Amino acid sequence: MAGHPRITFIGAGSTVFMKNIIGDVLQRPALAGATIALMDIDPQRLEESALVVNKLIATLGVKARAETYSDQRKALAGADFVVVAFQIGGYEPCTVTDFEVPKKYGLRQTIADTLGVGGIMRGLRTVPHLWMICEDMLAVCPDAIMLQYVNPMAINTWAIAEKYPTIRQVGLCHSVQGTAMELAHDLDISYEEIRYRSAGINHMAFFLEFEHRQADGSYRNLYPELVRAYREGRAPKPGWNPRCPNKVRYEMLTRLGYFVTESSEHFAEYTPYFIKEGREDLIERFGIPLDEYPKRCVEQIERWKGQAEAYRSAETIEVTPSKEYASSIIHSVWTGEPSVIYGNLRNNGCISSLPDNCAVEVPCLVDRSGIQPTSVGALPPQLAALMRTNINVQELTVAALMTENREHIFHAAMMDPHTAAELDLDQIWSLVDDLLLAHRDWLPGWTQSPVRQAKAS
């Protein structure tokens, strides 16, 4: 395409993430003249982000320019690409609520941002804001591509496709490439020598193939080696976070025959097998990091204070490539040079053993025509069956949002594997009621019970 792309970043106050994405973009010569429109509702974080982008531009010596906006529609006007990264309700109060209220019922969680009662609540808080972005995009940049980095990814992607089918969107996560790198490290093999193919739903996709290139150009299946390394105690190796030993996924590999793409701390709460009342032996044996996400939030907030100060005083900012897909998508669409990414989109038959309308994560070809998912066919039946337990929760959360039927929120929680394994029906109803009330300032009005609202006031 002629000229330079206009890239709008909604939620630009996620400064470190924004820096990684924009740093990747500006290192590509074809994109180095881009206009970066930064939008956030927090003026201080917006100012910090603009400072970072301008220092990135200066460090790289490129002709890009940054603009800042507090008005979403103005930021979106004429955009070619829209990157979305925000957390509605933040760590405080909303994440804290998502953990503390369920705890009163004996329901413990690890991350609570994708599935379970925490994921359902986050979906209810988040989707209405994503829909507002879609409304604005239809008005001022209807052909732009939305690169959506917000959790709960599958619920968000599904809800956007359901209500705004003409919006060009892809949900992006780094779990596929991140896990492939981890497994290569566990086996002391160079990531560059690995070939893999993954498919499923976000946070519950599996490597259907995971292979190592041999000297003669052939490929060897690495699954037997991964199982052997786990059985012999050589894998998993310690990772970036000592609280998260990654044993859950290896255990599931021995049961299912395939390795899942999202971390053990996530996977422990997508299934009913690992976090159980009175089974501290399981928590101990698999190293389940309960309350992990709040700990990370606190550490991140602390780290950011120092980071913001360092960015402010630094004359230049070091730019190292990240493992995010955004810049390669923007580059392929803008230049026509093809690339392959893993993206989340409406299924439309790509995975024949999952519902057509659910959101799936599959390999996609990206070129001037946009993002084109590839056909995977049927998954191994045990993998599709496990995914459907999570799809049930996503489907009912989206149904609640689309129809504004409050009952479906309770149905979603009732179908959640971890919640159902721990709580009875009365407890589930009472817990959801309590969460909806606690989050009432962040949720659409239809989510509130007239009776409870009256009592609360």
Side-chain angles (χ1 to χ4, degrees):
M1 291 182 195
H4 303 292
R6 178 178 176 83
I7 302 165
T8 298
F9 206 110
I10 305 287
S14 310
T15 310
V16 174
F17 181 71
M18 183 278 308
K19 169 197 164 277
N20 290 341
I21 300 284
I22 302 304
D24 288 348
V25 165
L26 298 182
Q27 285 177 86
R28 294 180 180 265
L31 308 177
T35 298
I36 311 296
L38 304 170
M39 183 270 159
D40 202 275
I41 55 170
D42 181 331
Q44 187 193 337
R45 295 299 292 263
L46 186 60
E47 187 260 330
E48 287 167 350
S49 289
L51 183 91
V52 168
V53 172
N54 283 317
K55 288 188 179 180
L56 281 175
I57 290 169
T59 302
L60 293 165
V62 292
K63 289 192 164 60
R65 63 196 184 94
E67 301 171 353
T68 58
Y69 297 86
S70 57
D71 182 297
Q72 181 172 284
R73 187 168 286 204
K74 285 180 181 163
L76 287 167
D80 298 294
F81 303 94
V82 179
V83 183
V84 185
F86 54 64
Q87 184 182 339
I88 302 298
Y91 165 61
E92 285 182 310
C94 287
T95 295
V96 171
T97 300
D98 283 340
F99 276 84
E100 293 308 312
V101 175
K103 244 186 240 175
K104 293 174 186 168
Y105 290 82
L107 186 64
R108 299 171 297 171
Q109 300 169 100
T110 51
I111 307 289
D113 71 353
T114 298
L115 210 72
V117 288
I120 294 165
M121 291 300 138
R122 190 181 278 229
L124 295 174
R125 296 195 295 272
T126 305
V127 167
H129 289 266
L130 288 168
W131 281 348
M132 284 195 283
I133 295 171
C134 293
E135 281 286 340
D136 285 346
M137 285 176 68
L138 287 178
V140 298
C141 59
D143 297 324
I145 295 177
M146 181 196 280
L147 311 180
Q148 196 256 115
Y149 276 100
V150 185
N151 276 325
M153 176 69 64
I155 287 171
N156 295 343
T157 306
W158 190 333
I160 291 169
E162 205 73 21
K163 186 154 179 149
Y164 294 96
T166 64
I167 291 283
R168 301 167 78 194
Q169 58 138 349
V170 62
L172 296 169
C173 181
H174 50 236
S175 60
V176 175
Q177 64 273 43
T179 293
M181 289 171 190
E182 278 180 78
L183 293 179
H185 172 67
D186 282 352
L187 294 177
D188 295 312
I189 293 171
S190 163
Y191 174 67
E192 281 63 41
E193 295 171 12
I194 298 285
R195 179 173 79 170
Y196 58 83
R197 188 162 162 266
S198 164
I201 59 173
N202 180 241
H203 284 197
M204 200 186 267
F206 286 81
F207 291 109
L208 303 176
E209 292 157 17
F210 197 77
E211 302 170 320
H212 182 209
R213 190 174 69 244
Q214 305 299 289
D216 65 1
S218 65
Y219 282 85
R220 179 168 61 91
N221 174 18
L222 286 172
Y223 270 137
E225 209 162 310
L226 284 169
V227 172
R228 192 159 55 246
Y230 176 57
R231 299 251 194 248
E232 293 171 4
R234 291 180 286 112
K237 287 183 178 168
W240 66 274
N241 185 343
R243 293 190 299 260
C244 303
N246 203 22
K247 291 178 184 171
V248 166
R249 292 195 287 173
Y250 271 95
E251 184 63 25
M252 291 303 285
L253 164 64
T254 69
R255 311 290 176 155
L256 296 171
Y258 296 88
F259 205 91
V260 75
T261 54
E262 185 48 84
S263 66
S264 285
E265 55 270 27
H266 273 283
F267 203 73
E269 64 180 10
Y270 301 160
T271 55
Y273 315 120
F274 298 98
I275 306 171
K276 288 179 173 294
E277 185 65 37
R279 292 298 307 274
E280 299 313 297
D281 58 311
L282 292 173
I283 305 294
E284 183 69 30
R285 178 180 159 198
F286 294 108
I288 311 286
L290 296 167
D291 295 326
E292 171 61 22
Y293 187 61
K295 287 173 191 155
R296 281 185 203 176
C297 290
V298 170
E299 289 166 358
Q300 220 168 356
I301 291 161
E302 214 34 62
R303 208 165 40 238
W304 172 245
K305 287 176 189 164
Q307 188 74 68
E309 209 35 64
Y311 283 151
R312 204 174 280 284
S313 53
E315 280 184 35
T316 59
I317 292 180
E318 186 192 354
V319 190
T320 51
S322 80
K323 57 186 182 193
E324 305 295 349
Y325 288 128
S327 75
S328 94
I329 293 172
I330 295 170
H331 185 260
S332 290
V333 173
W334 198 254
T335 65
E337 190 181 308
S339 63
V340 174
I341 60 123
Y342 278 86
N344 292 271
L345 316 96
R346 191 178 195 276
N347 184 17
N348 289 341
C350 290
I351 298 178
S352 56
S353 45
L354 296 181
D356 266 0
N357 58 343
C358 78
V360 294
E361 188 170 78
V362 292
C364 301
L365 170 69
V366 190
D367 60 18
R368 222 185 275 288
S369 302
I371 297 152
Q372 299 139 88
T374 60
S375 175
V376 174
L379 296 173
Q382 71 276 28
L383 303 186
L386 194 60
M387 287 171 205
R388 284 196 290 258
T389 66
N390 283 217
I391 289 169
N392 291 337
V393 182
Q394 298 159 6
E395 180 171 32
L396 284 157
T397 307
V398 173
L401 285 154
M402 287 296 294
T403 61
E404 300 192 354
N405 179 346
R406 190 172 182 271
E407 290 298 303
H408 287 328
I409 304 170
F410 297 83
H411 299 151
M414 177 184 167
M415 297 299 162
D416 178 63
H418 174 45
T419 306
E422 295 284 281
L423 305 183
D424 67 33
L425 289 170
D426 287 341
Q427 289 173 310
I428 293 170
W429 251 249
S430 180
L431 167 57
V432 171
D433 251 337
D434 287 355
L435 279 166
L436 291 174
L437 193 63
H439 283 308
R440 65 190 175 281
D441 294 343
W442 300 91
L443 293 174
W446 61 265
T447 62
Q448 300 306 306
S449 155
V451 178
R452 292 295 293 259
Q453 269 186 314
K455 277 185 194 166
S457 59

